Amino acid sequence: MKYAVIDISSSNTSMIVAEVNDRITEVIFRDRTSLTLQHYMEGRKLSSRGIDKVVESVQAMKDKCVSLGADVLYVISTAALRLVENFEEVGAAVLNRTGVPINAVDGQKEALCDYIANRFYSAYERAVLVDIGGASVEVCDLSAESADRCSLDFGIYTLHRKFVEKIQPDEEEAKRIKKYIGRKLDKAELPGKDSFVTVVLCGTVTLALYDIYTAFAGSKGEPSERAMDGKKFKKLAKHLVGGHDRSKLILEVAPERLYSVGIAALIVRTIARRFGAENILVSDRGVKEGYLQLVLDGREQGAYFDFAKDAPVIEREADAEEAEEKGEQEE
């Protein structure tokens, strides 16, 4: 059986298609299209043009699911879309025009999905997972037996709107951003120095950040282990704030991330410094993979599109409550 999961995030719409046989799950297809919701916001609402863009991206990926022979399709949205004031209007438009329902994933469940998808990194000494999104940052202790997770109410685009006047932060803006992040970490009562040795990053912007790191440092590791040295990363973070050719570096490697990688680097550097971690790894697994695993385990009963029926299947309230209770018991 083939399952597809689409994630509508702050900067793109991404999808995985996985084949499941005897509880063995293999991702056979990945896709991503750029879609920066910030460009289509009118105050705290997504504009009609923005809604059209979301609908178009979901429909395009649904069409790819057909060509790949997918059986079911789940669509999820994390903080960036979930927090827009007219989210219900967006969801209704997507359902009416594509037939696909959207499942809003809250911060705690998003962090749980990240944890499940990246649990194998617990083999590293005192590892912590950090998922950097446009409107939130999720932090999970991978060394814990169960998902000890924290959802922070800021992300790349919220920091950009709050502190950055132009495209990229200058040195003074960077100082204010780091102080703000520090206060948020204190308020969340996250542990301090020497609490973790390894930081595992996930989120699409962190993959771009790794590519920029390798170009800056002049070295690239094995694809199976995207590793960044803490001291070299510190130099990169400083360069992305004050380097004279920082824009040239970003445009050559990841031009679509011109607005975001500088702030992402500040988030990573501030969190890694707080924990005292010098080993930084980048994962290509995240919310989509974790959400699918929850579905396969019977711990998530989200709405989905059934290709055999050519119709959406909306979850029953009783099913949702039962799945939630099962998830709480297993944690």
Side-chain angles (χ1 to χ4, degrees):
M1 188 166 179
K2 291 181 181 178
Y3 291 80
V5 182
I6 294 174
D7 177 21
I8 304 170
S9 69
S10 59
S11 60
N12 61 72
T13 303
S14 59
M15 178 177 73
I16 60 168
V17 177
E19 191 158 16
V20 180
N21 292 305
D22 296 326
R23 296 188 61 82
I24 296 176
T25 304
E26 179 185 3
V27 175
I28 60 174
F29 181 80
R30 294 181 184 273
D31 193 22
R32 177 175 290 112
T33 182
S34 179
L35 175 59
T36 304
L37 297 181
Q38 183 185 23
H39 295 163
Y40 301 98
M41 296 298 293
E42 294 178 348
R44 295 185 62 83
K45 293 185 177 181
L46 190 64
S47 67
S48 59
R49 180 57 178 154
I51 294 175
D52 289 342
K53 286 289 187 179
V54 172
V55 170
E56 290 168 9
S57 65
V58 171
Q59 183 61 57
M61 289 191 171
K62 180 186 175 186
D63 292 342
K64 290 182 181 179
C65 288
V66 173
S67 65
L68 291 165
D71 297 288
V72 296
L73 166 62
Y74 289 87
V75 176
I76 60 176
S77 68
T78 47
L81 181 59
R82 186 184 71 244
L83 296 178
V84 302
E85 287 186 354
N86 59 335
F87 172 74
E88 290 186 3
E89 179 187 356
V90 179
V94 172
L95 179 60
N96 291 335
R97 292 157 63 181
T98 71
V100 182
I102 296 180
N103 299 282
V105 176
D106 64 27
Q108 287 297 306
K109 184 167 288 184
E110 183 177 354
L112 174 60
C113 290
D114 285 330
Y115 172 85
I116 291 172
N118 291 283
R119 189 71 180 92
F120 61 92
Y121 281 106
S122 62
Y124 289 82
E125 183 182 1
R126 284 182 289 160
V128 61
L129 180 70
V130 179
D131 180 359
I132 300 175
S136 67
V137 175
E138 273 62 53
V139 181
C140 303
D141 182 357
L142 292 172
S143 303
E145 290 300 321
S146 60
D148 182 9
R149 54 197 184 273
C150 172
S151 182
L152 303 170
D153 62 350
F154 67 87
I156 293 169
Y157 293 114
T158 52
L159 292 176
H160 195 286
R161 286 196 300 271
K162 189 175 182 66
F163 294 104
V164 182
E165 182 178 350
K166 297 181 180 180
I167 295 176
Q168 300 174 82
D170 59 28
E171 294 185 10
E172 188 57 39
E173 290 168 339
K175 289 180 182 178
R176 294 201 295 271
I177 288 171
K178 287 188 288 186
K179 287 182 179 179
Y180 178 84
I181 295 171
R183 290 196 298 270
K184 287 289 187 178
L185 300 181
D186 287 340
K187 185 177 180 180
E189 298 182 345
L190 290 180
K193 204 78 170 175
D194 300 325
S195 52
F196 297 103
V197 172
T198 303
V199 172
V200 181
L201 305 175
C202 66
T204 55
V205 69
T206 63
L207 293 169
L209 191 57
Y210 173 74
D211 290 337
I212 291 171
Y213 168 86
T214 59
F216 178 76
S219 61
K220 191 167 186 176
E222 293 296 325
S224 59
E225 184 179 284
R226 301 176 183 88
M228 298 188 290
D229 175 76
K231 292 181 179 178
K232 291 181 180 179
F233 185 85
K234 179 181 178 180
K235 292 180 181 179
L236 172 63
K238 184 176 181 180
H239 181 78
L240 290 176
V241 170
H244 69 281
D245 63 342
R246 60 175 177 167
S247 294
K248 181 175 182 291
L249 173 63
I250 298 170
L251 290 171
E252 287 179 347
V253 180
E256 75 282 3
R257 301 295 181 182
L258 189 61
Y259 283 84
S260 56
V261 290
I263 295 177
L266 292 173
I267 295 173
V268 174
R269 180 57 194 153
T270 304
I271 291 177
R273 182 178 180 182
R274 179 187 182 90
F275 293 153
E278 290 294 341
N279 302 322
I280 304 173
L281 304 176
V282 179
S283 170
D284 64 351
R285 296 172 58 85
V287 179
K288 296 185 296 297
E289 290 84 356
Y291 188 88
L292 176 57
Q293 192 59 55
L294 286 177
V295 169
L296 297 176
D297 290 345
R299 298 171 60 184
E300 181 62 38
Q301 297 286 340
Y304 60 92
F305 185 85
D306 188 319
F307 286 96
K309 297 178 180 178
D310 193 28
V313 177
I314 308 299
E315 66 173 344
R316 294 186 300 111
E317 185 175 348
D319 290 339
E321 291 177 355
E322 182 181 345
E324 186 69 24
E325 290 176 0
K326 182 177 179 180
E328 291 176 355
Q329 291 172 0
E330 293 184 5
E331 290 176 39

